[in-house]
C-alpha cells in the first residue's frame, strides 16, 4: 500500500493580529488548500450532488443538486480519467473534492484521488469537504488514497466531533468550514472553542451568499443582499469579522473568505491559469483569463469547405499555418484578431462573415462577446 508524506499542516497558533489578503481576513496562517486556491491552482472536483443534509442555505445549483453526477471545473465527468486530464490542462497543483457529500460516493472519490496523486506525485495537494461523521475506516481509506486536508461542515452538534478528533489524530490536516449566518456569533464561537480544544488546525468562515436554490429560504428569513452588485447576504461579513475579533487569543487559525474574493479573484485566477496553459498561437489571453480570437464563418459549413478556405487563405495571404485552424466543434475557421480584421477588409466574399470572439477557456467554451466585423459583399 502506498504511504504518502503529508503536507505540513499549519499548526494551530495563538494570534492577536488580524491580517488581510484581498478582501479576506485571517488570524494565524491559511490552510494549504486555500493558499493554492488563491493562486488559481486548485482543480474543483464536484464528486456528486447527493447529500443527506437539508441545509436551508445550500447553494448547490439545480443542475447539480441531488444528482449523482460528477463535474470537474464545470465540465461533466464521463470517465475518471477526465479529472486527471482537466488537472493537466490547467497545470493544477492540487484538487478540492466537493459536492454534495463526497464521502457518500466514497469509491468514486477515491477513484478520482488516486490517479491524481499517481500522475502528479505526493506534492499534489488534495482537500475534501464532508458534513458527515466519518468512521476510522473511512478516514484511513481517504488518507491512504492521498487526502491531505479534511474540512468538516458542521450542521449539528452530534458525532461529527469524534470524527474531527480522529482525523486530526491521524495527522490529516483537519479543520471546519462553515458559512456565516448573520447573527450566529455564539454558535460559531462555540465551534471555534471546541475545535481549538481538540487540536483542530483551522476554522474557515465563508460569507453567506444567495443562490437560485436558497433564495426562497433566505427570503423567509428576511435576509437581504449586501449590495446591488453582490450575491452576499447583508450582515454575514459583520458577524465573521466580529468572530475574528473575539477569537484573537484562541489557539486556532481562522480565515474569513468573502464572496467578492470568490467572484473577482478565485475564478479569475483559475481561468487565467487555464487560458495561459491552453491558448493556441493565435489566441490572446485577456486580463480576466478569457481567450480573444478572430473567427471566420461560412454559409452551410462542411469540413471540406472550411479546409479548402483555410488552404486558400494560407496560400493567398501567406498566413502561417499555426495561425489559422478549422474549429471542428463550432464548424468555423479560427485565427488571430489581427488577421481576422485584415481579412475582413481584404477578402470580401459572399457568404463569408468575420467576427471577434471572446470565450471562456473551459470545456464548454462559453462565448462572452461576439463582435461582427465589416459585413462581406
Ligand atoms: S451539507 Fe452542503 S451540500 Fe449538503 S445540504 Fe448542506 S450545504 Fe448542501
Amino acid at each position: 500500500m502506498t504511504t504518502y508524506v503529508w503536507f505540513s499542516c499549519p499548526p494551530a497558533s495563538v494570534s492577536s493580529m488580524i491580517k488581510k489578503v484581498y478582501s479576506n481576513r485571517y488570524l494565524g496562517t491559511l490552510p494549504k488548500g486555500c493558499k493554492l486556491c488563491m493562486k488559481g491552482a486548485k482543480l474543483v472536483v464536484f464528486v456528486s450532488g447527493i447529500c443527506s443534509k437539508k441545509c436551508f442555505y445550500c447553494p448547490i445549483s439545480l443542475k447539480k443538486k441531488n444528482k449523482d453526477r460528477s463535474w470537474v471545473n464545470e465540465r461533466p465527468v464521463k470517465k475518471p480519467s477526465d479529472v486527471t486530464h482537466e488537472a493537466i490542462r490547467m497545470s493544477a497543483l492540487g484538487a478540492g473534492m466537493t459536492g454534495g457529500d463526497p464521502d457518500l460516493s466514497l469509491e468514486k472519490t477515491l477513484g478520482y484521488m488516486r490517479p491524481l496523486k499517481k500522475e502528479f506525485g505526493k506534492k499534489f495537494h488534495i482537500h475534501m469537504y464532508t458534513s458527515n461523521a466519518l468512521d476510522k475506516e473511512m478516514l484511513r481509506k481517504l488518507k491512504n488514497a492521498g487526502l491531505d486536508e479534511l474540512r468538516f461542515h458542521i450542521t449539528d452538534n452530534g458525532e461529527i466531533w469524534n470524527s474531527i478528533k480522529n482525523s486530526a489524530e491521524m495527522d490529516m490536516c483537519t479543520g471546519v468550514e462553515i458559512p456565516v449566518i448573520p447573527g450566529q456569533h455564539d454558535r460559531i464561537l462555540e465551534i471555534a472553542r471546541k475545535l481549538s480544544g481538540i487540536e483542530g488546525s483551522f476554522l474557515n468562515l465563508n460569507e453567506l451568499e444567495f443562490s437560485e436554490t436558497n433564495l426562497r429560504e433566505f427570503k423567509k428569513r428576511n435576509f437581504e443582499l449586501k449590495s446591488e452588485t453582490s450575491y452576499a447576504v447583508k450582515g454575514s461579513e459583520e458577524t465573521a469579522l466580529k468572530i475574528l475579533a473575539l477569537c484573537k487569543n484562541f489557539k486556532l487559525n481562522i480565515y474569513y473568505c468573502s464572496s467578492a474574493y470568490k467572484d473577482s479573484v478565485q475564478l479569475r485566477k483559475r481561468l487565467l491559469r487555464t487560458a495561459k496553459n491552453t491558448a493556441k498561437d493565435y489566441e490572446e489571453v485577456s486580463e480576466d483569463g478569457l481567450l480573444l480570437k478572430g473567427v471566420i464563418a461560412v454559409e452551410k459549413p462542411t469540413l471540406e469547405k472550411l479546409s479548402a478556405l483555410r488552404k486558400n487563405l494560407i496560400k493567398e495571404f501567406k498566413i502561417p499555418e499555426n495561425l489559422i485552424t478549422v474549429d471542428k466543434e463550432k464548424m468555423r475557421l479560427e485565427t488571430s484578431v489581427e488577421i481576422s480584421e485584415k481579412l475582413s477588409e481584404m477578402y470580401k466574399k459572399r457568404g463569408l462573415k468575420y467576427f471577434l470572439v471572446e470565450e471562456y477557456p473551459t470545456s464548454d467554451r462559453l462565448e462572452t462577446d461576439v463582435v461582427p466585423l465589416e459585413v462581406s459583399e
Side-chain angles (χ1 to χ4, degrees), residues 79-317:
K79 48 189 183 315
S81 57
D82 290 347
V83 173
T84 316
H85 283 149
E86 189 64 20
I88 295 169
R89 233 169 75 79
M90 67 174 279
S91 292
L93 301 176
M97 300 287 147
T98 177
D101 254 324
D103 55 281
L104 295 182
S105 312
L106 189 64
E107 287 313 313
K108 206 172 5 162
T109 306
L110 299 174
Y112 294 152
M113 282 167 50
R114 289 190 191 109
L116 286 169
K117 281 282 181 182
K118 199 167 167 207
E119 173 76 28
F120 298 101
K122 59 193 176 195
K123 281 194 173 164
F124 189 85
H125 182 272
I126 301 182
H127 73 269
M128 184 182 118
Y129 298 88
T130 180
S131 55
N132 294 316
L134 307 185
D135 61 30
K136 283 190 177 172
E137 184 54 25
M138 281 175 120
L139 291 170
R140 211 165 288 122
K141 279 187 179 173
L142 287 163
K143 178 171 172 167
N144 288 335
L147 186 66
D148 299 290
E149 190 180 291
L150 188 49
R151 302 176 174 201
F152 287 87
H153 169 209
I154 304 209
T155 56
D156 49 46
N157 256 337
E159 278 179 26
I160 204 162
W161 285 100
N162 275 337
S163 261
I164 297 176
K165 195 162 176 282
N166 290 336
S167 170
E169 282 173 3
M170 278 186 188
D171 274 346
M172 271 194 286
C173 190
T174 304
V176 164
E177 179 156 328
I178 46 174
V180 181
I181 297 165
Q184 285 206 350
H185 315 88
D186 293 346
R187 174 178 167 261
I188 298 173
L189 272 176
E190 184 54 29
I191 290 173
R193 237 177 244 120
K194 264 190 165 170
L195 192 57
S196 76
I198 57 168
E199 305 290 319
S201 169
F202 60 88
L203 171 62
N204 281 1
L205 302 173
N206 292 323
E207 187 170 22
L208 193 64
E209 285 181 281
F210 276 87
S211 79
E212 59 174 346
T213 45
N214 63 27
L215 184 67
R216 188 190 295 229
E217 289 297 323
F218 281 14
K219 279 196 167 160
K220 264 198 226 165
R221 289 166 173 81
N222 295 323
F223 287 173
E224 288 173 38
L225 284 171
K226 184 176 170 181
S227 75
E228 279 178 9
T229 54
S230 161
Y231 288 118
V233 172
K234 197 172 173 179
S236 176
E237 178 165 76
E238 285 73 7
T239 302
L241 297 182
K242 198 164 170 185
I243 291 161
L244 277 172
L246 290 169
C247 288
K248 270 185 180 167
N249 292 313
F250 278 41
K251 198 175 165 214
L252 192 62
N253 300 300
I254 306 185
Y255 174 44
Y256 161 63
C257 187
S258 68
S259 157
Y261 161 77
K262 287 198 185 92
D263 289 350
S264 63
V265 185
Q266 190 185 57
L267 177 64
R268 191 172 67 89
K269 291 236 177 163
R270 184 148 45 88
L271 291 177
L272 261 174
R273 195 174 179 93
T274 309
K276 283 181 185 163
N277 234 17
T278 57
K280 303 197 180 76
D281 292 346
Y282 54 83
E283 289 172 329
E284 290 168 38
V285 177
S286 78
E287 57 181 27
D288 291 328
L290 301 175
L291 296 170
L292 309 173
K293 63 181 105 189
V295 159
I296 306 166
V298 301
E299 248 175 26
K300 298 188 184 148
T302 60
L303 281 181
E304 293 71 35
K305 223 186 208 182
L306 290 168
S307 298
L309 176 63
R310 175 177 177 266
K311 254 190 184 170
N312 189 24
L313 292 172
I314 288 173
K315 199 169 163 207
E316 195 170 335
F317 297 97

